[in-house]
């Protein structure tokens, strides 16, 4: 996005503004970028089943979807950790079956997990190599466990 793009001034309820601020920080985006991302996602999800996509459009949509899937995996992982740690768990199962990741191939497959695994590693969590596949993965706070 450039400074030459049109600007739009809007009013938001304070709670919605706070949600955007929180979300933008957790996604390492500006508030503007977060709003644009969410609007683009909403509009791309409204595509008609009768729409004929060119191969180039299909590739662009798939590429953007990979970023969204990566963000979703990161959010789900830390939501699950935050939920389960409060129940006394130190090992967490992250279920991703509904994302149908088995259809993603090669470097793209590894890339959707990359941000999550880097963040987990930086925070001291362990993802055992034999404990992840397209359906999900295990995370432990206790490295001696695996």
């Amino acid at each position: 996005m450039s400074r030459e793009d049109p600007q739009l001034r809007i009013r938001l309820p304070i709670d919605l503004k706070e949600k955007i601020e929180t979300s933008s920080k957790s996604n390492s985006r500006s508030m503007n970028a977060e709003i644009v991302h969410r609007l683009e996602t909403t509009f791309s999800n409204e595509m008609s089943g009768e729409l004929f996509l060119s191969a180039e459009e299909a590739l662009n949509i798939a590429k953007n979807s990979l970023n969204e899937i990566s963000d979703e995996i990161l959010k789900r992982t830390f939501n699950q950790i935050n939920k389960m740690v409060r129940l006394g768990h130190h090992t967490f199962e992250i279920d991703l079956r509904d994302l149908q990741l088995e259809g993603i191939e090669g470097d793209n497959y590894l890339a959707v997990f990359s941000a999550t695994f880097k963040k987990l590693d930086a925070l001291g969590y362990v993802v055992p190599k034999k404990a992840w596949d397209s359906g999900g993965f295990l995370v432990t706070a206790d490295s001696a466990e695996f």
Side-chain angles (χ1 to χ4, degrees):
M1 209 171 339
S2 74
R3 297 254 177 221
E4 296 174 10
D5 287 333
Q7 294 184 9
L8 174 65
R9 187 175 170 121
I10 62 171
R11 287 191 174 98
L12 297 172
I14 189 70
D15 61 324
L16 182 57
K17 180 181 180 278
E18 290 169 353
K19 287 179 184 179
I20 294 168
E21 286 175 336
T22 302
S23 181
S24 68
K25 286 178 186 173
S26 69
N27 291 319
S28 300
R29 291 193 267 255
S30 68
M31 287 181 60
N32 187 76
E34 184 69 21
I35 292 167
V36 169
H37 170 77
R38 286 175 175 263
L39 287 171
E40 286 176 341
T41 300
T42 301
F43 286 118
S44 70
N45 290 338
E46 290 180 357
M47 292 185 337
S48 166
E50 299 173 6
L51 182 66
F52 293 101
L53 296 175
S54 70
E56 181 179 350
E57 290 169 321
L59 289 172
N60 285 333
I61 290 169
K63 180 182 173 191
N64 290 336
S65 294
L66 292 175
N67 294 332
E68 291 172 25
I69 291 169
S70 181
D71 291 347
E72 180 67 18
I73 292 170
L74 182 67
K75 288 176 192 167
R76 284 189 189 189
T77 299
F78 285 95
N79 284 340
Q80 184 70 357
I81 289 171
N82 291 336
K83 174 183 170 187
M84 298 308 290
V85 75
R86 285 168 176 74
L87 296 172
H89 297 263
H90 57 85
T91 299
F92 319 99
E93 182 179 346
I94 312 303
D95 183 4
L96 305 172
R97 289 175 289 194
D98 64 309
L99 296 178
Q100 301 177 357
L101 300 174
E102 61 277 355
I104 301 173
E105 299 177 356
D107 291 340
N108 288 334
Y109 179 77
L110 297 175
V112 298
F113 290 98
S114 179
T116 299
F117 288 0
K118 283 180 185 176
K119 188 66 161 178
L120 287 166
D121 186 56
L123 294 171
Y125 292 98
V126 175
V127 177
K129 292 189 189 302
K130 294 184 179 182
W132 71 279
D133 62 20
S134 63
F137 55 93
L138 289 178
V139 178
T140 185
D142 183 1
S143 62
E145 189 173 327
F146 286 91

